[in-house]
Amino acid sequence: MYVRHALVLASAVVALTACGASSPEPAATTTASAAAAASPSATAPATGLTITDPWVKTTEEGMTAAFGTLVNNTDAAVTITSGTSPLSPTIELHEVVEDGGKMVMRPKKGGFVVPARGTHQLQPGGDHIMLMGVTEEVKPGARIAFTLQVQGGEPLEFTAIGKDFAGGEEDYQPGHK
Ligand SMILES: [Cu+2]
Protein backbone atom coordinates (compact mmCIF):
# COMPACT_ATOMS: atom_id res chain seq x y z
CA MET A 1 0.00 0.00 0.00
CA TYR A 2 2.74 2.42 0.93
CA VAL A 3 4.76 1.58 -2.16
CA ARG A 4 1.79 2.11 -4.46
CA HIS A 5 1.03 5.43 -2.81
CA ALA A 6 4.61 6.63 -3.30
CA LEU A 7 4.63 5.57 -6.93
CA VAL A 8 1.44 7.47 -7.67
CA LEU A 9 2.88 10.62 -6.14
CA ALA A 10 6.11 10.24 -8.07
CA SER A 11 4.19 9.78 -11.31
CA ALA A 12 2.32 12.98 -10.66
CA VAL A 13 5.58 14.89 -10.32
CA VAL A 14 6.93 13.39 -13.53
CA ALA A 15 3.75 14.30 -15.38
CA LEU A 16 4.16 17.90 -14.27
CA THR A 17 7.81 17.99 -15.26
CA ALA A 18 7.10 16.47 -18.64
CA CYS A 19 4.58 19.21 -19.24
CA GLY A 20 1.96 17.40 -21.28
CA ALA A 21 3.53 14.02 -21.87
CA SER A 22 0.65 11.60 -22.31
CA SER A 23 2.29 8.66 -20.55
CA PRO A 24 4.58 9.45 -17.62
CA GLU A 25 7.81 7.44 -17.49
CA PRO A 26 8.40 5.12 -14.55
CA ALA A 27 9.58 7.32 -11.71
CA ALA A 28 11.66 4.82 -9.76
CA THR A 29 14.89 6.79 -10.14
CA THR A 30 13.42 10.27 -9.77
CA THR A 31 13.29 11.74 -6.31
CA ALA A 32 10.41 14.04 -5.52
CA SER A 33 12.66 16.94 -4.57
CA ALA A 34 14.73 16.73 -7.74
CA ALA A 35 11.62 16.62 -9.91
CA ALA A 36 10.08 19.56 -8.07
CA ALA A 37 13.23 21.63 -8.50
CA ALA A 38 13.13 20.96 -12.23
CA SER A 39 9.46 21.86 -12.58
CA PRO A 40 9.16 25.51 -13.59
CA SER A 41 5.48 25.05 -14.49
CA ALA A 42 4.57 24.92 -10.80
CA THR A 43 6.53 28.04 -9.88
CA ALA A 44 5.27 31.57 -9.44
CA PRO A 45 8.48 33.57 -9.71
CA ALA A 46 7.03 36.81 -8.38
CA THR A 47 6.22 35.24 -5.02
CA GLY A 48 8.66 32.36 -4.93
CA LEU A 49 5.75 30.10 -4.02
CA THR A 50 5.53 26.58 -5.42
CA ILE A 51 3.47 23.47 -4.79
CA THR A 52 4.84 19.94 -4.93
CA ASP A 53 2.85 16.76 -5.64
CA PRO A 54 -0.50 18.49 -6.19
CA TRP A 55 -3.38 16.00 -6.52
CA VAL A 56 -7.16 15.82 -6.49
CA LYS A 57 -9.13 12.99 -4.94
CA THR A 58 -11.04 11.17 -7.68
CA THR A 59 -14.81 11.59 -7.63
CA GLU A 60 -17.82 11.18 -9.89
CA GLU A 61 -19.48 14.43 -8.90
CA GLY A 62 -20.25 16.71 -5.98
CA MET A 63 -17.47 17.46 -3.54
CA THR A 64 -13.81 16.61 -3.48
CA ALA A 65 -10.58 18.20 -2.36
CA ALA A 66 -7.12 19.03 -3.65
CA PHE A 67 -3.89 18.53 -1.73
CA GLY A 68 -0.15 19.10 -2.03
CA THR A 69 2.75 20.75 -0.25
CA LEU A 70 3.00 24.53 -0.56
CA VAL A 71 6.64 25.66 -0.51
CA ASN A 72 7.65 29.24 0.21
CA ASN A 73 11.10 30.08 -1.17
CA THR A 74 11.10 33.66 0.06
CA ASP A 75 12.10 35.41 3.27
CA ALA A 76 8.54 36.55 4.03
CA ALA A 77 5.38 34.64 4.90
CA VAL A 78 2.97 34.14 2.00
CA THR A 79 -0.82 34.09 2.46
CA ILE A 80 -3.14 32.29 0.04
CA THR A 81 -6.55 33.94 0.12
CA SER A 82 -8.67 31.97 -2.37
CA GLY A 83 -8.58 29.47 -5.20
CA THR A 84 -10.26 28.77 -8.53
CA SER A 85 -10.48 25.84 -10.93
CA PRO A 86 -12.55 25.08 -14.03
CA LEU A 87 -13.57 21.87 -12.25
CA SER A 88 -15.81 23.62 -9.71
CA PRO A 89 -17.53 27.02 -9.61
CA THR A 90 -17.20 27.14 -5.84
CA ILE A 91 -13.90 26.54 -4.07
CA GLU A 92 -13.03 27.19 -0.43
CA LEU A 93 -9.86 26.96 1.61
CA HIS A 94 -10.68 24.53 4.41
CA GLU A 95 -9.23 23.39 7.70
CA VAL A 96 -10.22 20.45 9.89
CA VAL A 97 -10.87 21.20 13.55
CA GLU A 98 -12.31 19.41 16.55
CA ASP A 99 -15.79 20.61 17.48
CA GLY A 100 -17.67 19.00 20.35
CA GLY A 101 -15.58 15.84 20.17
CA LYS A 102 -15.81 15.27 16.45
CA MET A 103 -13.71 16.49 13.58
CA VAL A 104 -15.35 18.91 11.19
CA MET A 105 -14.09 20.99 8.32
CA ARG A 106 -14.74 24.67 7.78
CA PRO A 107 -13.37 27.63 5.83
CA LYS A 108 -9.99 28.67 7.23
CA LYS A 109 -10.07 32.25 8.46
CA GLY A 110 -7.31 34.30 6.89
CA GLY A 111 -6.48 31.60 4.34
CA PHE A 112 -3.39 29.40 4.22
CA VAL A 113 -0.21 30.99 5.57
CA VAL A 114 3.05 29.53 4.31
CA PRO A 115 5.90 30.59 6.61
CA ALA A 116 9.06 32.21 5.27
CA ARG A 117 11.40 29.54 3.85
CA GLY A 118 8.87 27.00 5.03
CA THR A 119 6.14 24.68 3.86
CA HIS A 120 2.42 24.22 4.45
CA GLN A 121 0.91 20.78 4.00
CA LEU A 122 -2.46 20.29 2.37
CA GLN A 123 -3.45 16.71 3.19
CA PRO A 124 -6.44 14.49 3.99
CA GLY A 125 -7.57 15.19 7.55
CA GLY A 126 -5.95 18.64 7.51
CA ASP A 127 -5.99 21.82 5.47
CA HIS A 128 -7.26 21.31 1.93
CA ILE A 129 -8.61 23.07 -1.15
CA MET A 130 -12.33 22.22 -1.11
CA LEU A 131 -14.21 21.84 -4.39
CA MET A 132 -17.88 22.24 -3.56
CA GLY A 133 -19.57 21.54 -6.90
CA VAL A 134 -17.53 19.32 -9.18
CA THR A 135 -18.89 19.57 -12.72
CA GLU A 136 -17.28 16.50 -14.29
CA GLU A 137 -15.90 13.16 -13.17
CA VAL A 138 -12.32 13.19 -11.93
CA LYS A 139 -10.58 9.98 -12.99
CA PRO A 140 -7.14 8.73 -11.95
CA GLY A 141 -4.51 10.62 -13.93
CA ALA A 142 -6.83 13.51 -14.78
CA ARG A 143 -5.08 16.87 -15.07
CA ILE A 144 -6.94 19.63 -13.24
CA ALA A 145 -5.88 23.28 -13.47
CA PHE A 146 -5.87 25.43 -10.33
CA THR A 147 -5.10 29.04 -9.55
CA LEU A 148 -4.44 30.20 -6.01
CA GLN A 149 -4.63 33.90 -5.22
CA VAL A 150 -1.69 35.18 -3.20
CA GLN A 151 -2.03 38.25 -0.99
CA GLY A 152 0.12 41.00 -2.48
CA GLY A 153 1.68 38.67 -5.07
CA GLU A 154 1.22 36.90 -8.34
CA PRO A 155 -1.25 34.00 -8.41
CA LEU A 156 0.13 30.47 -8.20
CA GLU A 157 -1.02 28.36 -11.12
CA PHE A 158 -0.54 24.60 -11.18
CA THR A 159 -1.95 21.33 -12.49
CA ALA A 160 -3.13 18.72 -10.00
CA ILE A 161 -3.38 15.04 -10.92
CA GLY A 162 -6.44 12.89 -10.22
CA LYS A 163 -5.65 10.16 -7.71
CA ASP A 164 -7.68 7.50 -5.93
CA PHE A 165 -7.55 7.82 -2.18
CA ALA A 166 -8.90 4.53 -0.86
CA GLY A 167 -10.27 4.29 2.65
CA GLY A 168 -9.91 7.97 3.46
CA GLU A 169 -13.43 9.21 2.88
CA GLU A 170 -14.12 9.97 6.55
CA ASP A 171 -10.71 11.52 7.06
CA TYR A 172 -10.93 13.82 4.12
CA GLN A 173 -14.40 15.19 4.71
CA PRO A 174 -15.24 14.28 8.29
CA GLY A 175 -18.00 16.84 8.55
CA HIS A 176 -20.12 15.27 5.85
CA LYS A 177 -20.69 11.78 7.15
CU1 LIG B 1 -13.48 20.72 3.07
Side-chain angles (χ1 to χ4, degrees):
M1 182 58 196
Y2 173 79
V3 170
R4 181 175 178 276
H5 182 73
L7 281 175
V8 169
L9 286 176
S11 296
V13 171
V14 170
L16 276 177
T17 307
C19 221
S22 56
S23 56
E25 298 294 320
T29 59
T30 307
T31 67
S33 58
S39 179
S41 64
T43 305
T47 61
L49 183 70
T50 63
I51 185 166
T52 57
D53 300 333
W55 61 282
V56 180
K57 184 181 181 297
T58 52
T59 186
E60 290 186 359
E61 60 177 357
M63 292 189 293
T64 191
F67 309 96
T69 302
L70 294 161
V71 180
N72 181 355
N73 301 303
T74 76
D75 292 324
V78 169
T79 300
I80 293 165
T81 55
S82 64
T84 56
S85 170
L87 185 64
S88 171
T90 307
I91 289 182
E92 296 180 350
L93 306 181
H94 275 188
E95 64 180 348
V96 175
V97 296
E98 190 179 336
D99 180 15
K102 73 178 179 175
M103 306 303 285
V104 298
M105 62 181 185
R106 67 182 185 193
K108 184 152 190 166
K109 284 202 178 90
F112 299 149
V113 179
V114 190
R117 301 284 166 193
T119 63
H120 186 85
Q121 295 275 354
L122 305 179
Q123 58 192 352
D127 287 2
H128 55 275
I129 301 165
M130 190 79 202
L131 296 92
M132 309 295 280
V134 173
T135 53
E136 61 183 88
E137 182 176 3
V138 178
K139 294 178 177 171
R143 299 170 59 83
I144 312 294
F146 282 87
T147 302
L148 297 180
Q149 297 301 321
V150 175
Q151 198 168 63
E154 293 294 312
L156 171 63
E157 296 184 1
F158 62 93
T159 301
I161 306 300
K163 196 181 87 168
D164 289 329
F165 186 70
E169 203 77 32
E170 58 278 283
D171 290 329
Y172 124 81
Q173 48 178 33
H176 288 263
K177 276 316 236 189

